[in-house]
Amino acid sequence: MRRLMLGLTLIAAALILSLPQFKSRQAPGGLFPGTDTVRLYLHREDKIKTLPLEDYLVGVVAAEMPAEFPEEALKAQAVAARTYAVKRLTAGGVANPEHPGADL
């Protein structure tokens, strides 16, 4: 019975402490350190631009599918784009040999 009460108490504490992240609907900052900005290579301008990850995701989703698509499909595309970007940004990610200095 003590284990059950301790477990429930720990779960409740974890939920209470994570409420701010749920309200903001963003991943906690410490979850993927160094992934708040991306260095994007712009082919037309032949330069690297640094921008917030969230702005990059908005552009990717808008470029990949029309806004008229169902909301859940747009969300799924955003998750796929974020996963791709974070994988390239985190330690051990994929290098960009064609455009050194650019993440994506």
Side-chain angles (χ1 to χ4, degrees), residues 3-18:
R3 286 185 187 173
L4 177 63
M5 292 306 292
L6 178 62
L8 291 175
T9 303
L10 290 174
I11 290 171
L15 289 173
I16 290 169
L17 292 174
S18 64

Side-chain angles (χ1 to χ4, degrees), residues 25-104:
R25 295 178 186 246
Q26 293 181 353
L31 190 58
F32 300 110
T35 60
D36 52 345
T37 60
V38 297
R39 293 170 303 189
L40 181 65
Y41 179 75
L42 303 173
H43 290 275
R44 289 186 180 154
E45 299 173 20
D46 192 35
K47 68 177 187 176
I48 296 172
K49 180 179 179 182
T50 301
L51 66 153
L53 177 61
E54 297 303 316
D55 292 348
Y56 167 76
L57 293 174
V58 168
V60 167
V61 172
E64 292 291 328
M65 53 197 327
E68 296 82 31
F69 272 42
E71 184 178 352
E72 294 302 315
L74 295 167
K75 289 179 184 179
Q77 181 64 37
V79 169
R82 179 185 299 276
T83 302
Y84 175 79
V86 170
K87 175 63 179 169
R88 292 191 68 122
L89 291 168
T90 55
V94 181
N96 192 345
E98 292 182 30
H99 309 289
D103 300 316
L104 304 166

